Amino acid sequence: MPLSDMLTCPESELAKIITSDEPYSSGRWLQAKNIAMIQLSKLGEILNLGTYKELSAGFELVGEPLPDGPWPERTPPALVAAIAALTDDEIQTVARAWSNDPELEGNAPGILAAYLSDFRGFASDCSLPIFLVNAL
């Protein structure tokens, strides 16, 4: 089951994909290395998109919550657009700043830069909504 990974697919297919026995076989996924809403909201603060509280409120739960998950959330389009627009130099700068966040303890700037680069490619190549899929 996905654990804080990103999925792009038509919203009408979301529930079927995330509850299937093989969720990674449908839609397009970005394995997010357990970077979830908290970390992404802190990233949004670094990108000057708003406060943590405003950004975390922008992750909207989609569908009826399942008792044991997964719980998909719509990723705020402004955050996706900001990540998609990052240059290589900006990725390095943002990754260094982001690595100072206690929520990302143990993640070196290089790891976060690779994640941001992967997310940038993922976001740039899709025209469908991006969902953060959380599970236990």
Side-chain angles (χ1 to χ4, degrees), residues 2-9 17 23-36 40 43 75 80 83-84 98 111-126 129-134:
L3 179 62
S4 298
D5 289 334
M6 308 306 285
L7 166 65
T8 183
C9 68
I17 292 171
Y24 292 108
S25 66
S26 300
R28 193 166 143 248
W29 290 87
L30 171 67
Q31 297 205 353
K33 302 173 179 50
N34 296 325
I35 294 175
L40 290 170
L43 172 63
T75 305
V80 172
I83 294 170
W98 200 23
I111 292 169
L112 296 174
Y115 168 79
L116 287 171
S117 181
D118 290 346
F119 198 138
R120 176 182 63 186
F122 182 75
S124 297
D125 291 343
C126 75
I130 295 178
F131 303 98
L132 172 63
V133 181
N134 300 290

Side-chain angles (χ1 to χ4, degrees), residues 51-80:
T51 65
Y52 172 82
K53 186 175 180 177
E54 293 166 339
L55 293 159
S56 60
F59 284 85
E60 299 173 30
L61 188 62
V62 179
E64 293 296 318
L66 300 171
D68 296 321
W71 303 281
E73 297 174 303
R74 189 173 290 104
T75 305
L79 178 60
V80 172

Side-chain angles (χ1 to χ4, degrees), residues 1-22:
M1 181 178 298
L3 179 62
S4 298
D5 289 334
M6 308 306 285
L7 166 65
T8 183
C9 68
E11 188 168 335
S12 61
E13 296 178 19
L14 178 64
K16 182 177 83 175
I17 292 171
I18 65 173
T19 58
S20 77
D21 290 336
E22 296 182 24

Side-chain angles (χ1 to χ4, degrees), residues 32-47 52 79 83 86 90-117 119:
K33 302 173 179 50
N34 296 325
I35 294 175
M37 184 271 299
I38 292 171
Q39 296 83 4
L40 290 170
S41 295
K42 301 262 178 127
L43 172 63
E45 278 188 315
I46 292 168
L47 296 172
Y52 172 82
L79 178 60
I83 294 170
L86 290 171
E90 289 170 330
I91 283 176
Q92 297 304 318
T93 301
V94 168
R96 280 192 297 277
W98 200 23
S99 71
N100 291 322
D101 189 290
E103 291 290 336
L104 291 162
E105 188 174 328
N107 285 291
I111 292 169
L112 296 174
Y115 168 79
L116 287 171
S117 181
F119 198 138

